Amino acid sequence: MAEVVIVPSAEEAGRLAADAIIRLIARKPNAVLGLATGSTPLSTYAALAERATAEAGDLTHVRGFALDEYLGLPADHPESYRAVITREVVEPLGLTPPNIHVPNGSPDGIETAGDDYERAIVAAGGVDLQILGIGTDGHVGFNEPGSSFASLTRVKTLTEQTRRDNARFFAAQNAGEASDAVPMHCITQGLGTILRARHLVLLAFGAAKAAAVAAAVEGPVTASQPGSIIQLHPHTTVIIDEAAAADLANADYYRHAWLNRPAWQQL
Ligand code: GLP
């Protein structure tokens, strides 16, 4: 099962996730990171920006693949995931821009963009550590409920719930309905793509994520809860705050296991 670590704050979660990433880069300077967007990984990126160069050394060989991208946003749109990854990861960490890949959400060539992205991940040797958030409806990447466990990078239609959840990022562009500015389509790594990563680190904070976290960690493995793919993966770490852990039936056991972890055990 996934290792579940319940921490007091998003900052503490970010520190733990950063520990694992720093150890990976120290061991493998050209490590391949799977990069999530959204608000959840920000504390991890902040911890990395603060510590990674001092603790892991040169980051210029680190490679990265974003999970997903909106379809049809202009290249310079501030909420395109290309722009978000540049602003929140590439620049603060001092990564090398050509080493960091984001699915191509331009309508031009969209028919082959998924296959191209899969080839690029394979050519890089696969993702070493994939950072994941989770949507309130259980989506990972932009794999909405019902996504095939075997799916690879492809175009998907967002649920209205996801568009509403993400409307806050597009506040400046909102005119009518809150979610109108959020694109309806996206291109996302598939659940099959995500399952190929060597280590999954799923982060979640706040009460709004409690049901999705419980379904992912303890619910039946079902396409109706895309987060439940973590139960199929041999190495998943779930780092969550108390509010996101509220619906877990076995929370006491996870705390017990973490407190009593063997001295040699690292995330
Ligand atoms: C977004 C992203 C996901 C992210 C999730 C949660 O729409 N595509 O990769 O994990 O939804 O977002 P947040 O972290 O902002 O709650």
Side-chain angles (χ1 to χ4, degrees), residues 30-114:
N30 68 344
V32 180
L33 302 179
L35 301 167
T37 46
S39 50
T40 304
L42 293 180
S43 60
T44 301
Y45 298 145
L48 285 173
E50 212 176 290
R51 295 166 37 202
T53 302
E55 295 180 31
D58 184 11
L59 302 183
T60 58
H61 302 292
V62 169
R63 296 168 291 166
F65 286 87
L67 272 175
D68 43 20
E69 176 60 290
Y70 291 112
L71 226 71
L73 287 183
D76 58 349
H77 192 290
E79 292 310 322
S80 76
Y81 283 169
R82 163 66 71 186
V84 171
I85 291 282
T86 300
R87 194 167 64 232
E88 287 164 1
V89 186
V90 177
E91 289 174 353
L93 272 68
L95 303 183
T96 306
N99 289 352
I100 309 303
H101 306 265
V102 179
N104 185 355
S106 149
D108 243 8
I110 194 66
E111 300 83 355
T112 53

Side-chain angles (χ1 to χ4, degrees), residues 36-41 67-68 70 81 132-135 139-142 162 166 168-169 209:
T37 46
S39 50
T40 304
L67 272 175
D68 43 20
Y70 291 112
Y81 283 169
L132 291 174
I134 189 164
H139 73 245
V140 287
F142 269 139
T162 298
N166 287 3
R168 67 191 192 281
F169 296 111
K209 300 292 176 73

Side-chain angles (χ1 to χ4, degrees), residues 56-234:
D58 184 11
L59 302 183
T60 58
H61 302 292
V62 169
R63 296 168 291 166
F65 286 87
L67 272 175
D68 43 20
E69 176 60 290
Y70 291 112
L71 226 71
L73 287 183
D76 58 349
H77 192 290
E79 292 310 322
S80 76
Y81 283 169
R82 163 66 71 186
V84 171
I85 291 282
T86 300
R87 194 167 64 232
E88 287 164 1
V89 186
V90 177
E91 289 174 353
L93 272 68
L95 303 183
T96 306
N99 289 352
I100 309 303
H101 306 265
V102 179
N104 185 355
S106 149
D108 243 8
I110 194 66
E111 300 83 355
T112 53
D115 290 347
D116 293 346
Y117 205 62
E118 289 292 327
R119 267 194 296 276
I121 296 174
V122 170
V127 171
D128 291 305
L129 185 151
Q130 175 65 59
I131 303 163
L132 291 174
I134 189 164
T136 57
D137 66 357
H139 73 245
V140 287
F142 269 139
N143 293 280
E144 298 286 22
S147 295
S148 159
F149 285 0
S151 52
L152 301 178
T153 306
R154 74 232 182 275
V155 171
K156 288 287 289 179
T157 307
L158 297 177
T159 63
E160 285 306 298
Q161 183 176 334
T162 298
R163 294 182 74 215
R164 277 194 300 275
D165 285 350
N166 287 3
R168 67 191 192 281
F169 296 111
F170 288 78
Q173 288 87 34
N174 277 337
E177 276 294 302
S179 56
D180 277 356
V182 182
M184 193 173 290
H185 298 98
C186 64
I187 175 166
T188 180
Q189 285 191 30
L191 297 176
T193 319
I194 293 167
L195 279 173
R196 289 176 185 164
R198 287 181 267 278
H199 182 190
L200 304 181
V201 177
L202 187 145
L203 301 153
F205 312 120
K209 300 292 176 73
V213 166
V217 174
E218 296 178 339
V221 174
T222 166
S224 300
Q225 285 292 338
S228 66
I229 58 155
I230 63 171
Q231 297 179 47
L232 298 174
H233 194 280

